[in-house]
Amino acid sequence: MNDESQPQPANFEAAKSDVQRKTLDQREQMNELMRLRHSCAHILATAVLRLWPDARLDIGPPTDEGFYYDFDLTHRFTPDDFPKLEEAMRQITKENQVFEKSIKTQAEALAYFEGKGQKFKVERLADIPEGETITFFQNGEFVDLCAGPHVMRTGNVKPGGIKLLRVASAYFRGNEKNPQLQRLYGTAFKNKEELDKWILQQEEAKKRDHRKIGAEMGLFAFDAEYVGPGLALWLPKGAVLVEELEKLAKETEFLAGYVRVKTPHLAKEKMYKTSGHLPYYAESMFPPMELDEFAAERQVLRKQIAVADHRIREEFKSRHPINEPGSSISEKAFGNFMDEYIDEVMHGRVTPSPKDEALFTELRKLTTEEARLPLDRYFLKAMNCPHHHRIFAAEPRSYRDLPLRLAEYGTNYRYEQSGELFGLMRVRAMNMNDAHLYFTPEQFADEFRAVNDMYLKYFKIFGIEKYVMRFSTHDPARLGVKFVNEPELWKQTEDMVRNVLIESGINYVEVPNEAAFYGPKIDVQVWSAIGREFTIATNQVDFAVPARFGLVYKDRDNSLKTPLCIHRAPLGTHERFIGFLIEHYAGNFPLWLAPEQVRVLTLNDDPALVEYAKAITAELRAHFVRVEGDYSADPVKAKIADAETAKVHTMLVVGQRDLEAGGVSVRLHGKGNVGAKPKDEAIADILAAIRERRA
RNA sequence: GCCGGUGUAGCUCAGUGGUAGAGCAACGGUUUCGUAAACCGUAGGUCGUCGGUUCAAUCCCGACCACCGGCUCCA
């Protein structure tokens, strides 16, 4: 985007992301509900100004969920304010004010908002592209800079269809360097019935929340006190999910020619300096562990350094009258001056006086000595690629070895900001479904296509129908700044990626300027069953970092070449993917994934019957089926209720009749009794469904 | 990290300035029953943590921690 011609905001940072403003055409296409919600945002602002006339306004757009409006005012909104705000909003709808549009010049608009002290509106004015018409909308006493569109009158909004939801904070223009505004979220529907329906849906969605189901089913736990926030503990039933997922991935990758590797959870500082993650990624990494084998020597040297430093200061002081009574130079100012002076001399930018020279020589000698004492810093790995690069480097490679596909579900540790943690979806220790593919440029298209095919294969297994691939590309104007300066490689790889996407008929969107610094990438966005959107998988081309590690293979012509690399994680992290699956299936997993696949229930505790049931359980267990038995004398209704609550996939109920017939009666979770069949047939069905990973 | 909210038994929730209850789950008994809940009993909590106010704090105040909803960030 070319922003240079636009008036620049004076005091605030520009928007952080390059999100496009809506064009006027796009705005005209806003549907009925969006118009309604947009108008509600104005009604909310009207209400806020009635109650707090000194509020400063930012913007108030509609969203998929409702609408919001950002305010700056000294009063802090709390949910206690909602009833009176909602009441004021209802009043405004009853006043049935007309939304009146008027066209303004930049100067008129500027004068209006400056006159009102609405500094955020003044900033927003500067965002409007030159030549675009500036419009105001007025309803009653409230005037807003707004491109519309709106409903005709405030009365079109039904009082019963409005609800304020929450108060949050938001940075002005979404940039954390800007002031924080108070954001009021609300929603609006055509009428009360629609709103109530939505509220009901929200409640249903809550029941599907992976955190709730995870606790109910005993899948995972967090122990912030002893283990730490964002560090999931997989309970036995949840560990089953991890293992099944890994088993699927291992089989899939084995068939696709991957080889497995294992690497440690930490590495020395040099690793991440070489990869480029330090210092740029340092904030997202756990602080390093320092191993100081020479702590005692270091301590002695540091004391000597302090003495030498002090001598220089005293010597300097003795030659200058700064410590005499009446001197205008404070101790602190002198200290600052000396800090700078010593620093300058030590860096060779200033030559000390001959008198100081000897003292500086001593200081230099000591600091050099200290610097020579090795200090090892180890970092927990935030990604696996550097370790895999070192595996590539561990043996000489020939073009005959390529493509080399190294897979490992390594645990990565990322120091996510505390406010970011979110159940399993955002954690601090995660198992990446990771692999790094090293190959020649000629092999690129095949490798990339194969990775995409793998995604699609997985999506099919899990019944993921709604997804978007975000294809992030570079910006040629920022080569050498944000992106490595390899215009040809960028063009080639992006073209190849684009072709693969088009040929495969994959639903994708291209996002310029969002590539990684080392290459284009594809992120896969999915929506969980309760509407949560997140990135599940990533597939990145890397034509820069292997070179930083000096990775080479010997080509046909006996020359050394740097391989291309793909970094791919089709299941993302196992934490997030399982969080997604829990919501996707609402905890009702297909048989192959179900933590407890089968439970054998007896009608009573008659010894012969129990013996029969135990034999069935043992047979299933011998086939590695996760099966439990409930042989108690409790009523079968109660035992079934227990099994249903536990979301056991298949229940085999056995009574006297089944014992005599050598059969079982099969009941499926959520589907009820599906009838009796011979025991061997039932077991064969179960084994086949598991083997085929039937949905 | 920032803004707002929340924190009582394993879970869902009552409750009060005078050191706490219910249902379900758990445990012990009884119950012998054909597809979603049989009965009786027992046990279980320093009311998130630490300070403060008070004769007395789970309740009032403060700080911290964690979680929830957002912002920013991200797999």
Side-chain angles (χ1 to χ4, degrees):
Chain A
M1 279 203 308
N2 183 5
D3 288 332
E4 278 70 32
S5 62
Q6 295 305 312
Q8 288 300 300
N11 304 317
F12 298 114
E13 296 287 327
K16 211 166 179 190
S17 67
D18 296 322
V19 175
Q20 299 278 341
R21 295 183 79 244
K22 277 201 180 74
T23 65
L24 293 179
D25 276 350
Q26 284 170 321
R27 285 177 170 276
E28 278 309 314
Q29 286 163 12
M30 264 175 22
N31 66 29
E32 191 71 17
L33 188 59
M34 287 306 228
R35 283 171 195 242
L36 182 81
R37 288 172 170 177
H38 187 190
S39 298
C40 273
H42 280 232
I43 292 170
L44 171 62
T46 314
V48 167
L49 282 178
R50 281 189 183 176
L51 293 163
W52 293 278
D54 63 331
R56 276 196 284 246
L57 311 176
D58 186 26
I59 52 168
T63 66
D64 289 342
E65 196 196 45
F67 62 89
Y68 65 82
Y69 211 111
D70 287 348
F71 302 95
D72 176 38
L73 74 168
T74 43
H75 170 76
R76 303 232 72 96
F77 290 127
T78 73
D80 294 338
D81 297 325
F82 291 179
K84 58 186 177 220
L85 273 168
E86 284 174 350
E87 188 43 48
M89 290 174 75
R90 280 187 212 107
Q91 175 60 33
I92 292 159
T93 64
K94 282 181 197 139
E95 289 169 17
N96 202 16
Q97 303 162 348
V98 177
F99 280 100
E100 249 175 308
K101 182 175 173 177
S102 58
I103 294 171
K104 303 283 171 191
T105 65
Q106 175 92 17
E108 284 168 344
L110 202 62
Y112 179 80
F113 288 120
E114 278 180 344
K116 293 235 164 195
Q118 291 286 0
K119 60 177 179 180
F120 298 106
K121 288 291 181 190
V122 172
E123 296 294 322
R124 291 290 179 182
L125 265 176
D127 294 343
I128 298 177
E130 210 166 340
E132 194 174 302
T133 316
I134 294 170
T135 54
F136 279 17
F137 271 86
Q138 175 159 15
N139 59 289
E141 76 275 18
F142 178 66
V143 180
D144 202 356
L145 169 69
C146 178
H150 283 280
V151 293
M152 297 299 288
R153 302 173 146 267
T154 59
N156 293 33
V157 178
K158 296 293 164 242
I162 314 173
K163 185 178 169 62
L164 289 181
L165 297 174
R166 62 187 83 96
V167 51
S169 91
Y171 299 103
F172 177 60
R173 281 205 185 97
N175 189 313
E176 70 215 325
K177 294 194 181 72
N178 286 336
Q180 285 199 315
L181 307 174
Q182 298 189 66
R183 177 172 293 179
L184 287 175
Y185 279 95
T187 193
F189 287 87
K190 265 199 311 225
N191 50 44
K192 188 168 187 309
E193 289 68 47
E194 296 272 307
L195 174 64
D196 288 345
K197 208 171 92 188
W198 178 80
I199 293 170
L200 215 65
Q201 277 170 4
Q202 293 299 107
E203 281 162 12
E204 284 303 308
K206 257 189 199 154
K207 292 185 196 158
R208 242 181 140 119
D209 190 305
H210 75 281
R211 291 166 299 192
K212 189 170 167 59
I213 292 177
E216 283 166 0
M217 292 181 74
L219 301 177
F220 60 90
F222 286 95
D223 181 349
E225 189 182 356
Y226 284 83
V227 186
L231 303 171
L233 296 173
W234 288 105
L235 307 181
K237 286 184 175 164
V240 162
L241 297 172
V242 178
E243 298 214 334
E244 284 297 339
L245 213 56
E246 293 189 352
K247 203 159 87 186
L248 168 68
K250 282 177 189 170
E251 288 173 12
T252 308
E253 286 164 4
F254 179 81
L255 293 176
Y258 288 55
V259 289
R260 296 192 56 76
V261 294
K262 291 266 183 201
T263 63
H265 292 207
L266 32 65
K268 289 164 95 168
E269 186 172 28
K270 181 171 184 177
M271 180 81 105
Y272 302 107
K273 280 190 164 164
T274 306
S275 69
H277 289 106
L278 286 177
Y280 301 108
Y281 201 74
E283 268 194 10
S284 297
M285 294 174 76
F286 276 87
M289 285 161 262
E290 291 195 339
L291 296 189
D292 191 353
E293 288 178 71
F294 299 93
E297 292 90 329
R298 197 183 307 278
Q299 206 180 351
V300 170
L301 279 168
R302 281 187 179 160
K303 271 186 194 152
Q304 292 173 348
I305 288 169
V307 169
D309 181 278
H310 184 69
R311 276 199 200 124
I312 293 171
R313 287 166 200 260
E314 288 303 303
E315 166 60 27
F316 198 96
K317 216 183 222 179
S318 70
R319 299 199 309 261
H320 296 83
I322 58 134
N323 53 351
E324 285 169 11
S327 165
S328 61
I329 300 167
S330 68
E331 273 296 315
K332 198 178 170 208
F334 174 70
N336 288 343
F337 167 77
M338 286 306 292
D339 287 349
E340 199 170 316
Y341 171 64
I342 293 170
D343 188 67
E344 291 286 303
V345 174
M346 293 297 282
H347 283 90
R349 291 189 290 262
V350 167
T351 312
S353 67
K355 270 195 121 170
D356 290 346
E357 185 53 50
L359 292 172
F360 271 107
T361 305
E362 171 70 6
L363 181 61
R364 222 175 256 125
K365 188 185 131 238
L366 290 167
T367 50
T368 311
E369 235 174 281
E370 200 232 330
R372 277 207 194 112
L373 290 180
L375 176 73
D376 284 335
R377 280 205 182 87
Y378 284 83
F379 285 83
L380 282 168
K381 64 179 175 184
M383 61 289 303
N384 303 307
C385 23
H387 282 86
H388 291 183
H389 293 336
R390 295 319 297 165
I391 285 180
F392 186 96
E395 296 176 278
R397 307 289 177 181
S398 132
Y399 72 94
R400 293 164 186 267
D401 301 326
L402 305 184
L404 178 68
R405 309 180 189 92
L406 305 178
E408 176 184 23
Y409 313 138
T411 310
N412 292 174
Y413 302 87
R414 296 187 187 173
Y415 190 74
E416 302 290 348
Q417 296 180 49
S418 60
E420 303 310 330
L421 302 175
F422 175 67
L424 284 180
M425 304 298 198
R426 195 76 183 272
V427 291
R428 285 183 172 163
M430 66 213 86
N431 283 285
M432 194 75 69
N433 179 244
D434 217 354
H436 293 90
L437 284 51
Y438 302 87
F439 47 84
T440 68
E442 298 74 49
Q443 292 165 334
F444 175 86
D446 283 346
E447 290 304 311
F448 196 84
R449 188 175 297 112
V451 168
N452 267 321
D453 289 347
M454 198 179 282
Y455 285 163
L456 300 177
K457 184 179 171 181
Y458 286 139
F459 290 175
K460 203 172 164 204
I461 289 173
F462 296 108
I464 299 171
E465 279 154 15
K466 191 179 174 192
Y467 61 88
V468 169
M469 294 210 176
R470 284 170 58 92
F471 172 33
S472 301
T473 55
H474 80 299
D475 175 357
R478 300 174 75 179
L479 279 172
V481 184
K482 187 177 173 184
F483 306 107
V484 291
N485 198 3
E486 297 275 3
E488 265 313 299
L489 279 172
W490 278 107
K491 194 181 166 346
Q492 277 175 25
T493 50
E494 285 177 2
D495 284 349
M496 287 191 278
V497 170
R498 200 177 289 109
N499 287 340
V500 171
L501 286 170
I502 291 167
E503 279 169 27
S504 320
I506 288 171
N507 178 15
Y508 81 97
V509 289
E510 194 161 328
V511 198
N513 198 25
E514 287 201 5
F517 75 90
Y518 46 72
K521 65 171 180 176
I522 288 180
D523 293 314
V524 185
Q525 264 174 296
V526 294
W527 286 262
S528 84
I530 60 178
R532 270 191 197 120
E533 171 199 322
F534 42 86
T535 305
I536 204 94
T538 184
N539 183 6
Q540 310 185 352
V541 182
D542 182 348
F543 46 73
V545 181
R548 298 177 73 127
F549 276 95
L551 304 188
V552 287
Y553 63 93
K554 190 160 276 189
D555 209 351
R556 274 189 177 77
D557 61 3
N558 206 31
S559 69
L560 291 174
K561 290 191 177 137
T562 303
L564 285 176
C565 177
I566 284 178
H567 171 130
R568 45 111 274 181
L571 300 176
T573 68
H574 296 170
E575 283 74 11
R576 182 175 285 183
F577 198 80
I578 289 170
F580 167 82
L581 286 183
I582 292 170
E583 294 183 1
H584 183 64
Y585 291 119
N588 305 315
F589 297 104
L591 188 59
W592 70 277
L593 269 175
E596 187 178 337
Q597 295 172 309
V598 180
R599 189 178 292 185
V600 181
L601 312 174
T602 56
L603 221 56
N604 53 56
D605 68 351
D606 172 73
L609 190 58
V610 170
E611 200 184 321
Y612 178 61
K614 279 187 172 169
I616 296 170
T617 307
E619 188 176 343
L620 284 165
R621 190 157 279 272
H623 285 103
F624 300 100
V625 176
R626 295 181 290 272
V627 55
E628 302 294 335
D630 185 350
Y631 316 128
S632 72
D634 291 339
V636 74
K637 273 174 182 266
K639 299 208 277 192
I640 285 170
D642 282 349
E644 290 282 355
T645 306
K647 300 181 188 291
V648 176
H649 184 282
T650 297
M651 288 150 271
L652 300 180
V653 179
V654 294
Q656 208 58 33
R657 284 207 303 264
D658 305 289
L659 173 59
E660 281 159 17
V664 294
S665 111
V666 181
R667 182 189 168 97
L668 299 178
H669 170 56
K671 296 198 179 85
N673 189 1
V674 295
K677 55 172 80 169
K679 182 202 74 174
D680 291 344
E681 195 184 317
I683 290 177
D685 284 352
I686 288 167
L687 296 180
I690 293 172
R691 195 172 49 243
E692 294 162 22
R693 295 197 171 95
R694 241 177 250 164

